[in-house]
């Protein structure tokens, strides 16, 4: 018996050691071990031709790159005509200490005999005739973003009230003359595996994982879609500045914000807050989270085809700098946090820097030649902004102040 116990203990030890080794190999945090890689050139067409004019970028190269991301990473939503019905469920012109108008709108999406509801919380600064607006989904439900007791809890929220207020600098946003609209991302796609039937996909005739083609989108495509539907509504309001809508997202929702902003050109500015792997960070760098890790941990985020690149990211026909390039010439801001090495801050900066060369087609300065900025010192060039701040994976006042400052400068406030 003793021998057997020893044998079992030995086997367990070997397995634990193997586990540690595998883990250590999987997550590299050593810049010298990033490896060499060659990025696909955003300005070289599939046929080898170099793009030198913005007209060719817009008419030919941009659509090529969009298709690469649709087919290989975020996937597409099938063609469908979805009806959106808007119902104001609550409104007050005395919110946030009397400085804001609060409006809560239920959007009902319907098609194919199915319907889904999204609850949108909107704050508008009082006395501003045309407000620029941030559209930003939240992680835990609308009522978790504020201490405002009149905010209605989102249908799938299990997180009570006011536990994520530090991420939502509503006072600052309103005092700066901006409106903000948020919704719980679960309203469009609950963030878990095997819940296609509970998401918006049945509106498109997709009812389960079995209906997914290689390039059918999953949750990130759905969250991006949700941001665009909120913008549809905002654009019906007289006091929203139609030229100054901004989509902003944190982390997995930063990935969704980038994808949304890349596709939906009604957004004049896009903000990626700590979006990391498969967001702003280059996939070809072996640093922090990898494509393989993200696909294994979150198989419901990206289209099925993305998983085929797990073992060989160099075979991806695109990389994340080209996602950012799709936003050109509109304003884009990429932000990282020093203690969020999992998201590869350096890889996020390099990606933005590489994307900025597409902005040069429009006459903007680029980030070419600039080295990685110091902590807490935002670097804004042309229409591209970047910062790395102290602290953890989070959204802070510093982040919001930077986004607002950048928007004030780049979107040229009219009021
Ligand atoms: C995990 C995941 C990241 C993601 C993050 C988040 O850490 O690996 O890719 O960005 O969650 O959404 O908070």
């Amino acid at each position: 018996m003793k021998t057997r116990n020893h044998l079992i203990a030995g086997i367990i030890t070997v397995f634990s050691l193997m586990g540690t080794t595998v883990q250590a190999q999987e997550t590299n945090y050593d810049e010298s071990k990033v490896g060499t890689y060659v990025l696909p050139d955003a300005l070289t067409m599939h046929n080898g031709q170099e793009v030198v004019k913005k007209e060719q970028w817009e008419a030919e190269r941009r659509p090529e790159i969009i298709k690469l991301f649709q087919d290989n990473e975020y996937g597409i939503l099938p063609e469908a005509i979805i009806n959106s019905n808007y119902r104001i469920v609550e409104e007050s012109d005395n919110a946030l200490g009397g400085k804001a108008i609060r409006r809560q709108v239920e959007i009902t999406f319907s098609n194919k005999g199915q319907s889904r509801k999204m609850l949108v919380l909107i704050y508008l600064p009082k006395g501003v005739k045309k407000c620029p607006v941030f559209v930003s989904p939240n992680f835990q439900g609308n009522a978790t973003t504020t201490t405002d007791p009149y905010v209605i809890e989102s249908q799938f929220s299990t997180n009570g009230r006011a536990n994520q207020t530090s991420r939502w600098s509503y006072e600052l946003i309103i005092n700066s003359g901006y409106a903000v609209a948020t919704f719980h991302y679960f309203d469009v796609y609950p963030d878990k595996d095997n819940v296609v039937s509970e998401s918006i996909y049945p509106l498109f005739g997709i009812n389960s994982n079995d209906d997914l083609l290689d390039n059918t989108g999953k949750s990130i495509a759905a969250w991006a879609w949700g941001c665009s539907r909120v913008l549809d509504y905002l654009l019906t309001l007289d006091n929203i500045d139609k030229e100054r809508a901004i989509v902003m997202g944190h982390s997995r929702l930063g990935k969704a914000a980038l994808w949304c902003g890349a596709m939906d050109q009604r957004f004049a500015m896009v903000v990626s807050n700590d979006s990391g792997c498969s967001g702003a960070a280059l996939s070809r760098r072996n640093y922090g989270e990898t494509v393989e890790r993200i696909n294994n941990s979150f198989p419901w985020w990206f289209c099925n085809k993305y998983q085929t690149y797990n073992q060989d990211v160099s075979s991806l026909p695109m990389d994340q700098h080209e996602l950012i390039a799709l936003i050109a010439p509109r304003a884009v801001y990429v932000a990282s946090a020093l203690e969020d090495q999992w998201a590869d801050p350096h890889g996020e900066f390099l990606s933005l820097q590489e994307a900025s060369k597409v902005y040069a087609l429009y006459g903007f300065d680029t980030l070419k030649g600039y080295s990685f900025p110091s902590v807490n010192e935002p670097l804004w060039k042309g229409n591209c902004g970047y910062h790395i701040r102290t602290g953890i994976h989070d959204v802070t006042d510093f982040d919001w102040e930077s986004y607002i400052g950048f928007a004030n400068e780049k979107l040229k406030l009219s009021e």
Side-chain angles (χ1 to χ4, degrees), residues 43 51-55 57 325 328-330 352-368 381-384:
L43 291 176
V51 178
V52 288
K53 291 214 161 87
K54 63 177 193 285
E55 290 76 15
W57 164 260
R330 294 165 293 143
L352 178 67
Q353 186 173 47
E354 182 65 20
S356 73
K357 76 179 186 193
V358 174
Y359 283 75
L361 295 179
Y362 293 86
F364 284 110
D365 286 345
T366 72
L367 286 165
K368 208 165 171 265
K381 290 291 158 212
N383 250 4
C384 299

Side-chain angles (χ1 to χ4, degrees), residues 215-374:
N215 70 342
T216 312
K218 292 189 203 160
S219 66
I220 298 230
W223 300 328
W225 180 88
C227 294
S228 287
R229 299 296 70 78
V230 172
L231 183 60
D232 292 345
Y233 172 72
L234 292 169
L235 294 181
T236 68
L237 305 181
D238 286 343
N239 46 357
I240 288 291
D241 186 336
K242 298 177 177 42
E243 309 299 317
R244 293 173 178 81
I246 303 161
V247 59
M248 180 279 189
H250 169 60
S251 206
R252 64 200 69 186
L253 293 174
K255 308 179 210 295
L258 283 169
W259 181 229
C260 173
M263 299 279 286
D264 190 339
Q265 294 182 283
R266 298 173 303 172
F267 284 106
M269 177 169 146
V270 182
V271 180
S272 149
N273 192 93
D274 306 355
S275 65
C277 178
S278 308
L282 293 173
S283 301
R284 278 167 172 77
R285 272 169 57 86
N286 172 31
Y287 193 102
E289 188 173 26
T290 60
V291 169
E292 182 181 13
R293 285 291 289 271
I294 207 167
N295 275 325
N296 289 341
S297 311
F298 307 101
W300 63 94
W301 284 3
F302 306 96
C303 72
N304 287 338
K305 181 77 188 290
Y306 200 40
Q307 299 181 4
T308 66
Y309 299 101
N310 284 353
Q311 305 303 324
D312 182 16
V313 281
S314 66
S315 63
L316 272 166
M318 73 292 169
D319 208 316
Q320 299 304 116
H321 62 295
E322 291 171 294
L323 175 68
I324 299 174
L326 292 174
I327 298 162
R330 294 165 293 143
V332 62
Y333 203 119
V334 173
S336 315
L338 191 59
E339 289 172 49
D340 186 20
Q341 294 297 315
W342 178 241
D344 187 10
H346 210 136
E348 297 192 304
F349 175 71
L350 292 174
S351 178
L352 178 67
Q353 186 173 47
E354 182 65 20
S356 73
K357 76 179 186 193
V358 174
Y359 283 75
L361 295 179
Y362 293 86
F364 284 110
D365 286 345
T366 72
L367 286 165
K368 208 165 171 265
Y370 287 90
S371 43
F372 192 55
S374 304

